[in-house]
Amino acid sequence: MASSVTRAILTPPRYYNLRGVRKLVRRRDEYEQIFAGLIDELPLNPNCDRHAFRLSMLGAMNWTVFWFKAGGPLSVDQVGRQIALMVRGAAIDRSRKR
């Protein structure tokens, strides 16, 4: 287990202690705030709920640790491009004439 975040995800809850949980929640909130700021800057379609979009993107990116396989059908760069395509799909289409 390379990182403390991965270790925390894979550790059964019975091994958590209150101090550790509080630290993990603080780190999660800080991590989410970074994305909240970035998503607030995106020119998203007005029908796109930014809160749901942020949580969906975080979920998608965080889950890659479970399904990504080096040497598999997608490279790291290709996964990044696919995530970028999802973000672009939620953006306002500025090429359309009004």
Side-chain angles (χ1 to χ4, degrees), residues 4-5 12 17 24 26-27 38 57 70 72 80 85 92-93 95:
S4 62
V5 173
N17 62 48
L24 186 61
R26 248 189 337 271
R27 290 184 73 192
L38 292 171
M57 291 305 301
L85 284 172
I92 295 171
D93 184 356
S95 65

Side-chain angles (χ1 to χ4, degrees), residues 44-59:
L44 296 179
N45 182 306
N47 296 324
C48 181
D49 181 287
R50 289 173 186 272
H51 178 76
F53 182 75
R54 180 179 73 245
L55 294 178
S56 297
M57 291 305 301
L58 285 169

Side-chain angles (χ1 to χ4, degrees), residues 3 11 19 36 40-41 64 66 75:
S3 76
T11 302
R19 189 170 143 227
D40 284 346
E41 298 295 319
T64 59
F66 295 103
S75 70

Side-chain angles (χ1 to χ4, degrees), residues 33-96:
Q33 282 308 114
I34 292 168
F35 283 89
L38 292 171
I39 289 170
D40 284 346
E41 298 295 319
L42 290 175
L44 296 179
N45 182 306
N47 296 324
C48 181
D49 181 287
R50 289 173 186 272
H51 178 76
F53 182 75
R54 180 179 73 245
L55 294 178
S56 297
M57 291 305 301
L58 285 169
M61 291 186 301
N62 290 337
W63 199 252
T64 59
V65 69
F66 295 103
W67 61 262
F68 177 77
K69 291 183 181 158
L74 295 174
S75 70
V76 171
D77 288 344
Q78 289 170 320
V79 170
R81 285 188 198 101
Q82 291 301 309
I83 291 170
L85 284 172
M86 288 186 281
V87 172
R88 287 185 188 130
I92 295 171
D93 184 356
R94 293 183 177 197
S95 65
R96 290 175 62 196

